[in-house]
Amino acid sequence: MTTRQQVLVLYLATSALDSPVVGWSVYDGTGSTSPTTGDSDEPPYKSGVDALRDGWRLFQAAQLIPPYPGSEYDVSFLKHEFFFEKLVEGSADMEVVDAG
């Protein structure tokens, strides 16, 4: 058996883990699925806490950086980004696609 990583990136409405998901990405190191950006109208979870309850492990949260004076309403990147992972056991012959 081989351990592979699945990664879930959730962008939340605020810095609180129980706030609503406003954007997301899923990456599957097992090769069993190939999710792409925009392949679903519904987020995989309603909040970061829901992902934790489903077994995802939080390993990175966005730094809380206050806006510079005068830029409070500028549109930019989604700043409340949280990275989650799951480690999945699978057979050693799982398909791995070479990105090179």
Side-chain angles (χ1 to χ4, degrees):
M1 296 300 274
T2 302
T3 302
R4 302 277 190 227
Q5 183 182 39
Q6 294 176 327
V7 176
L8 170 65
V9 183
L10 297 180
Y11 299 91
L12 305 181
T14 72
S15 62
L17 274 174
D18 59 353
S19 65
V21 173
V22 296
W24 63 93
S25 296
V26 180
Y27 304 94
D28 189 353
T30 67
S32 62
T33 64
S34 298
T36 60
T37 302
D39 65 356
S40 173
D41 290 336
E42 293 294 320
Y45 298 97
K46 292 183 179 184
S47 71
V49 171
D50 289 338
L52 292 174
R53 289 181 180 143
D54 195 34
W56 289 90
R57 301 179 335 167
L58 177 65
F59 69 91
Q60 182 176 336
Q63 293 181 356
L64 297 179
I65 301 171
Y68 294 107
S71 65
E72 294 88 351
Y73 301 104
D74 289 349
V75 177
S76 183
F77 60 92
L78 297 172
K79 59 186 171 181
H80 304 297
E81 179 180 63
F82 295 83
F83 283 80
F84 298 83
E85 75 169 350
K86 271 189 182 179
L87 298 177
V88 180
E89 293 296 326
S91 63
D93 62 346
M94 286 180 151
E95 179 183 345
V96 177
V97 178
D98 182 11

